[in-house]
Amino acid sequence: MPVLYGTHVESALMLGTAGYPSPRILADAFARSGAGIATVSLRRETGGGQDFWTLVQSLGARLLPNTAGCHSAREAVTTAHMAREVFATDWIKLEVIGHADTLQPDVFELVQAARILAAEGFKVFPYCTEDLTACERLLDAGCQVLMPWGAPIGSGLGLNNPHGLRALRAAFPDVPLVIDAGIGLPSHAAAAMEMGYDAVLLNSAVARAGDPVQMAGAMADAVRAGRAAYLADPMERTDMAVPSTPVLGKAFL
Amino acid sequence: MQIILNGSPCHTNAATLADALAQAGVTGHIATALNGSFVPAALRDQTPIRDGDRIEAQAPMQGG
């Protein structure tokens, strides 16, 4: 099970709390998923915020507030300060968005915000890309976890750049890596875990499924299977067939 | 004087951030920022409000 900033987390599945058909379905999906971490946010109070606060405290998951929607380091840092007080945690999922259509992170502002927050004692979980140089800078800034995207947020496309994600895994073998965003199917989550990723963070794949509770269970199974497969050391791929039945001793007919 | 609370203009005679929130009926488990900077809960009643100030009161919400 992943160890994130010294905390052992019971599940390699991290689940978002947004977009469920009802609070009841949200709670049931969490129960079925076994997720150890729940992502949350801060927004202007327009009613429902206090009910939601009561609900998330009952999920049995550790809370990871995000800075979703922030477009500058300054905005993200202020949001992190507010989140730390409201959610009583120094964990922060740091999002600094750089592009409106892809919701791609602005890695320059991201590194700047990460440096400020890490120096203030925050445990920063940066939503980043698989860019090796940006990831190196984030580690230099004090991040001890990296959360590269699989694909654009909410797209359900899966792992857009498996080669790049494998390269990132190989480049930082000792850093906990979490695929954050883009997961649409359990097979995507399993593929991430089979590559040796430590966890996956997803939201829409469960919340927007026709049956979110059933999908939460499917994701939990996929993450477990993918992790077990990684630990089992999968066979090498080859381009040509390799007969599995012994050739020696075959009848000469 | 006029302030901007969560993006909406409103009139207040509050002297502090805590007063302004109370006058506007903003209560519960929230965090606050004044003109883009975080103000801890414990400092709201010592934080003066001036004309044109922008106040954000943020509550726990669903997130991904």
Side-chain angles (χ1 to χ4, degrees):
Chain A
M1 288 299 114
V3 180
L4 307 171
Y5 286 100
T7 297
H8 290 258
V9 182
E10 284 305 307
S11 166
L13 180 59
M14 300 159 69
L15 194 55
T17 56
Y20 291 80
S22 72
R24 176 60 191 269
I25 292 174
L26 162 62
D28 289 350
F30 262 84
R32 183 74 72 87
S33 75
I37 293 174
T39 53
V40 291
S41 76
L42 284 175
R43 287 291 179 264
R44 289 169 175 170
E45 173 68 285
T46 53
Q50 307 309 313
D51 290 344
F52 177 71
W53 175 231
T54 305
L55 174 64
V56 291
Q57 288 175 293
S58 71
L59 294 178
R62 193 179 174 110
L63 299 183
L64 176 59
N66 68 29
T67 62
C70 290
H71 284 74
S72 69
R74 185 176 181 275
E75 259 187 305
V77 167
T78 298
T79 303
H81 289 154
M82 289 196 283
R84 179 165 61 179
E85 184 179 82
V86 160
F87 295 108
T89 177
D90 53 8
W91 283 22
I92 190 76
K93 177 185 164 182
L94 185 60
E95 287 184 46
V96 187
I97 299 302
H99 194 275
D101 290 335
T102 62
L103 298 180
Q104 199 164 164
D106 180 331
V107 294
F108 306 97
E109 293 286 315
L110 181 67
V111 169
Q112 198 182 327
R115 188 174 296 115
I116 294 167
L117 292 171
E120 292 179 359
F122 280 89
K123 313 288 193 298
V124 179
F125 294 68
Y127 161 64
C128 55
T129 67
E130 68 277 21
D131 185 286
L132 294 177
T133 311
C135 285
E136 182 100 57
R137 296 282 190 276
L138 287 166
L139 297 174
D140 291 345
C143 297
Q144 294 178 26
V145 174
L146 296 170
M147 302 213 298
W149 65 350
I153 294 170
S155 68
L157 290 172
L159 307 181
N160 262 358
N161 182 6
H163 175 78
L165 291 169
R166 269 192 212 96
L168 182 66
R169 179 68 286 179
F172 304 112
D174 301 322
V175 176
L177 298 179
V178 181
I179 293 289
D180 174 13
I183 300 288
L185 289 168
S187 53
H188 303 152
M193 297 304 292
E194 286 165 9
M195 280 182 194
Y197 276 75
D198 296 276
V200 297
L201 168 47
L202 55 91
N203 187 154
S204 305
V206 167
R208 283 162 42 194
D211 183 341
V213 180
Q214 191 166 352
M215 187 60 85
M219 288 297 183
D221 291 344
V223 166
R224 265 193 297 272
R227 180 63 183 171
Y230 171 72
L231 294 174
D233 188 14
M235 63 171 280
E236 294 296 322
R237 288 163 61 133
T238 67
D239 289 336
M240 301 300 284
V242 178
S244 48
T245 302
V247 177
L248 192 69
K250 183 197 170 293
F252 186 73
L253 302 170
Chain B
M1 63 182 170
Q2 182 169 290
I3 58 171
I4 312 285
L5 175 61
N6 281 348
S8 301
C10 61
H11 288 280
T12 183
N13 56 9
T16 66
L17 177 55
D19 291 343
L21 294 169
Q23 278 187 18
V26 177
T27 57
H29 194 62
I30 55 159
T32 51
L34 177 63
N35 298 325
S37 295
F38 170 59
V39 179
L43 297 182
R44 284 178 206 152
D45 61 0
Q46 305 160 38
T47 303
I49 295 296
R50 296 182 183 83
D51 189 47
D53 275 351
R54 288 180 299 109
I55 298 169
E56 289 285 342
Q58 298 260 294
M61 215 56 74
Q62 294 83 351

